[in-house]
Amino acid sequence: MSDFATLADITGEPDGWAATYGDEAESRVGFFSDTSVGVGCKACEVACKEWNVIPEDGLVWTGESYDHTSALGANSWRHVAFIEQQKPLRDHDSDGDAIRWLMSSDVCKHCTHAACLDVCPTGALFRTEFGTVVVQEDICNGCGYCVPACPFGVLDKRHLPRFDPSPDLLPAFGKKEDGRVWKCTLCYDRLKGGHEPACAKACPTHSIQFGDLDELRARADGRLAKLQAEGWNGAQLYGRDPDDGVGGFGAFFLLLDEPEVYGLPPDPVVTTRDLPEMWGTAAVAAAALVIGILGAFVGGSR
Ligand code: SF4
Ligand code: SF4
């Protein structure tokens, strides 16, 4: 196996992660976000900002809906999307004028196969002993390679002035803005202390459920079966399947419509999947070029 193949394989495999930590590996944890009970209170957004001391992101009145966060970003690690639909809540409801609001709290998916980890050249992004994906603010150099690598557009550079304990020193380094990438840490500091993440703790309806990933998957299967038996329109699990293009999400969802309706990719694939093959093809092409040039020199000298 080539080094490139090893690079693409090891970071995302749960077995590889557990073996890396040995006895210190914990059960893989994550989120099951059940959007059928989300009420759009945005308590998760606020709790995340408070706990992680995230700066405000503009306080902009979008004029598009009651959702003024709009998207995940460097300063919004949780985002509750509001989607207004002219659609009945259940399959058998015949009211053609029925309106429903879909509310889904989006977050980093803490992918099983995380392309952001594969491309980070500094090791700022790493997989924790809990199987989650975290970016270390004191190591990130702001190169931004991970930003296009994420299939969900989660990673984002912070363009606000950099906060530092010694702001008087900043002019000496020419730092006009933070420039580093920021995203959900699944509250790594809280997990280390034996606490559940701030957003799950604050959620008043238990739409955001935190726990052992295998238990959450079993719970989600039961919830989906109940909703489907009751005829809920469009109920489906998103990111629960370990056989999908990213090996399943550490933070997965029960949605009430297709993922695209929520602005989510319908069939996400780890973007580094084809890297080994691409590097192999490039190596073959480079070797052919070198042989051709040598051939030209040898032929020309006769
Ligand atoms: S959602 Fe994006 S940032 Fe989060 S683990 Fe997956 S690839 Fe990385
Ligand atoms: S787990 Fe922590 S960092 Fe991630 S969205 Fe929830 S509160 Fe924010």
Side-chain angles (χ1 to χ4, degrees), residues 29-145:
V29 296
F31 287 130
F32 163 43
S33 296
D34 180 354
T35 69
S36 69
V37 293
V39 293
C41 68
K42 291 194 179 248
C44 54
E45 287 191 18
V46 175
C48 179
K49 285 212 170 227
E50 291 242 323
W51 180 261
N52 295 294
V53 198
I54 302 172
E56 58 93 359
D57 40 9
L59 303 175
V60 178
W61 181 261
T62 62
E64 295 168 352
S65 82
Y66 288 102
D67 168 26
H68 300 296
T69 311
S70 295
L72 290 177
N75 308 314
S76 298
W77 301 354
R78 273 264 175 207
H79 166 233
V80 184
F82 290 8
I83 296 124
E84 190 174 312
Q85 283 188 321
Q86 191 164 358
K87 212 170 193 180
L89 194 59
R90 293 168 203 261
D91 294 333
H92 48 264
D93 292 342
S94 55
D95 182 358
D97 295 328
I99 296 282
R100 68 175 184 172
W101 264 11
L102 306 180
M103 288 154 181
S104 172
S105 182
D106 198 11
V107 71
C108 167
K109 316 301 179 286
H110 296 274
C111 308
T112 302
H113 299 276
C116 59
L117 292 178
D118 289 337
V119 302
C120 178
T122 63
L125 276 151
F126 77 109
R127 193 173 293 281
T128 73
E129 66 270 39
F130 302 99
T132 56
V133 178
V134 170
V135 54
Q136 300 168 90
E137 61 192 73
D138 55 338
I139 299 179
C140 176
N141 67 1
C143 70
Y145 291 176

Side-chain angles (χ1 to χ4, degrees), residues 37-45 47 198-208:
V37 293
V39 293
C41 68
K42 291 194 179 248
C44 54
E45 287 191 18
C199 52
K201 182 86 178 166
C203 179
T205 63
H206 298 295
S207 170
I208 300 172

Side-chain angles (χ1 to χ4, degrees), residues 245-302:
V246 298
F249 306 176
F252 67 98
F253 304 81
L254 190 156
L255 304 177
L256 294 179
D257 208 326
E258 298 303 318
E260 302 95 305
V261 171
Y262 297 82
L264 296 164
D267 191 15
V269 171
V270 59
T271 52
T272 49
R273 181 188 62 179
D274 298 326
L275 267 186
E277 194 181 331
M278 288 164 62
W279 281 112
T281 305
V284 169
L289 189 64
V290 169
I291 292 170
I293 292 171
L294 287 176
F297 272 114
V298 171
S301 63
R302 281 187 185 152

